[in-house]
Amino acid sequence: MIKDISYRLDDLEVKELLAYAVFPDPESLETAVEAYRKPNGLELYGYEEEDVLVGLIGVDLTDKEMTIKHIAVTPENRGKDYGRGMIMELMLQKKPDVVIAETDEESVGFYRSIGFQIYSLGERFPGVERFRCVYEVEEEES
């Protein structure tokens, strides 16, 4: 089960995991941490197994839209569906109509495997193609 971990932003464990999801420099990490500290800002959730943080997901929630800002799983736990599980559980909890993520070529297959539609944004940085990943949540019939 995922839970809010925004109160743990100063924990080394949280910062190390968040560092996997940001541009690898201390300034980018601190900018991300501050975005989660702001009132009414981004929301940060973590998934723990046996009291060890194995993954985190940071989102920006508006009325019916959930934008994934950061997602990371510890290297030894990658490929075990923790990332997929965190996204799906948060979708069940928050009930957005659409989920959006922006990613690089390395992670686009992960989003595609969950059912996201993939759109190229072209080269946002020299030699680095970025992608917009969109998941339209189907409404349940009653």
Side-chain angles (χ1 to χ4, degrees):
M1 177 143 145
I2 60 173
K3 58 184 180 182
D4 187 325
I5 59 168
S6 52
Y7 66 95
R8 293 180 53 192
L9 285 166
D10 292 319
D11 289 8
L12 185 60
E13 183 180 37
V14 172
K15 283 188 174 182
E16 283 179 353
L17 202 45
L18 187 56
Y20 289 119
V22 298
F23 187 77
D25 72 44
E27 194 174 297
S28 293
L29 177 59
E30 203 47 47
T31 299
V33 167
E34 290 309 311
Y36 291 105
R37 284 192 205 282
K38 290 180 184 167
N40 303 319
L42 304 179
E43 298 179 21
L44 188 65
Y45 298 89
Y47 181 84
E48 291 182 343
E49 198 164 83
E50 297 175 10
D51 295 327
V52 175
L53 186 65
V54 295
L56 61 72
I57 183 170
V59 297
D60 186 9
L61 290 163
T62 60
D63 271 350
K64 290 293 178 181
E65 191 172 284
M66 182 170 85
T67 302
I68 299 170
K69 294 296 193 177
H70 302 102
I71 186 166
V73 174
T74 54
E76 63 273 16
N77 286 297
R78 291 181 187 157
K80 297 180 181 176
D81 280 343
Y82 287 111
R84 173 193 301 260
M86 289 188 298
I87 291 171
M88 295 306 190
E89 189 171 331
L90 210 49
M91 285 180 6
L92 285 172
Q93 285 182 19
K94 303 298 181 180
K95 300 187 182 344
D97 288 342
V98 64
V99 181
I100 298 168
E102 183 180 315
T103 194
D104 54 21
E105 197 166 354
E106 185 180 317
S107 300
V108 81
F110 163 74
Y111 288 102
R112 186 176 282 122
S113 75
I114 297 174
F116 281 74
Q117 296 298 311
I118 311 300
Y119 306 94
S120 175
L121 296 171
E123 283 190 24
R124 285 281 177 96
F125 311 100
V128 180
E129 186 177 6
R130 299 291 291 174
F131 298 88
R132 178 178 171 90
C133 309
V134 180
Y135 187 96
E136 302 272 345
V137 180
E138 295 177 17
E139 291 196 33
E140 292 180 20
E141 293 181 27
S142 37

